[in-house]
Amino acid sequence: QRPLNNIIHITNYLMFDKGQPMHAFDYDKIKGARMMLRESEKGEKLVTLDGMERELPAGVIVIEDGEGRLIDLCGIMGAKNSEVDADTKRVLLFVQVYDPVRIRKSSMALGHRTEAALRFEKGIDFDAVVPVLKEAANLMKQYANAKEASKLIDILNVEYKPKEVLVDYEKINLVAGIEISK
């Protein structure tokens, strides 16, 4: 990963350590202090954090701000116009879960494969989102002189139901060739 600043280092570190991608926005660059999640329209464009202008197909999940500017290519990469830089005073930390199939299709359609997309398309642990967000906030306090400006806002639009998997321990031990206790 490119060395940029402590905020980005913390988000990248936790993505690699915990498997949870997250995005840090410069809050003051979000026009109208508003973020709307929606699907892209064919032909919309945005410049991603890597400086590349990308023309979007229809149906990619994006975030637009209060002036209708695209500020995030969700699950893949943020937009340059809302990036955290040396002048950033306030950070909005966005930790999310997306439909793995949608992220894979979007990433492939754009030909833009990122570390975040690779993790999202394999599925994210719903139960880890809030603990990882809290860990990021604590690391930012410790290493970036951050102060908490607001409490967690949890927007849950999908109820997660964990799956139960039956395990045949005898078969596992037979295949493994050793005795593994329950």
Side-chain angles (χ1 to χ4, degrees), residues 5 59 76 97 112 143 151:
N5 59 58
I76 301 170
V97 175
H112 190 43
Y143 294 108
K151 297 297 176 193

Side-chain angles (χ1 to χ4, degrees), residues 90-152:
R90 299 188 294 172
V91 171
L92 182 133
L93 192 56
F94 189 70
V95 185
Q96 65 284 348
V97 175
Y98 296 111
D99 173 30
V101 175
R102 286 195 69 166
I103 298 304
R104 176 153 176 85
K105 284 181 180 178
S106 296
S107 178
M108 296 301 282
L110 289 163
H112 190 43
R113 310 289 290 148
T114 63
E115 292 288 345
L118 292 171
R119 283 157 179 79
F120 279 123
E121 67 189 35
K122 289 174 176 59
I124 298 296
D125 180 4
F126 273 72
D127 294 330
V129 171
V130 172
V132 172
L133 173 62
K134 289 179 179 179
E135 185 174 353
N138 287 332
L139 288 171
M140 289 177 188
K141 288 176 193 174
Q142 186 176 356
Y143 294 108
N145 199 27
K147 294 177 180 78
E148 192 173 310
S150 74
K151 297 297 176 193
L152 168 70

Side-chain angles (χ1 to χ4, degrees), residues 6 30 42 51 58 66 91 96 125 131-132 160 168 173:
N6 284 355
I30 301 171
K42 183 176 174 39
V91 171
Q96 65 284 348
D125 180 4
V132 172
Y160 171 69
D168 182 344
N173 289 335

Side-chain angles (χ1 to χ4, degrees), residues 64-100:
E64 72 176 23
D65 67 12
E67 290 184 1
R69 296 178 320 142
L70 297 184
I71 59 171
D72 194 34
L73 186 53
C74 297
I76 301 170
M77 186 177 277
K80 190 88 171 148
N81 60 6
S82 59
E83 78 176 322
V84 171
D85 59 26
D87 297 322
T88 298
K89 302 287 184 253
R90 299 188 294 172
V91 171
L92 182 133
L93 192 56
F94 189 70
V95 185
Q96 65 284 348
V97 175
Y98 296 111
D99 173 30

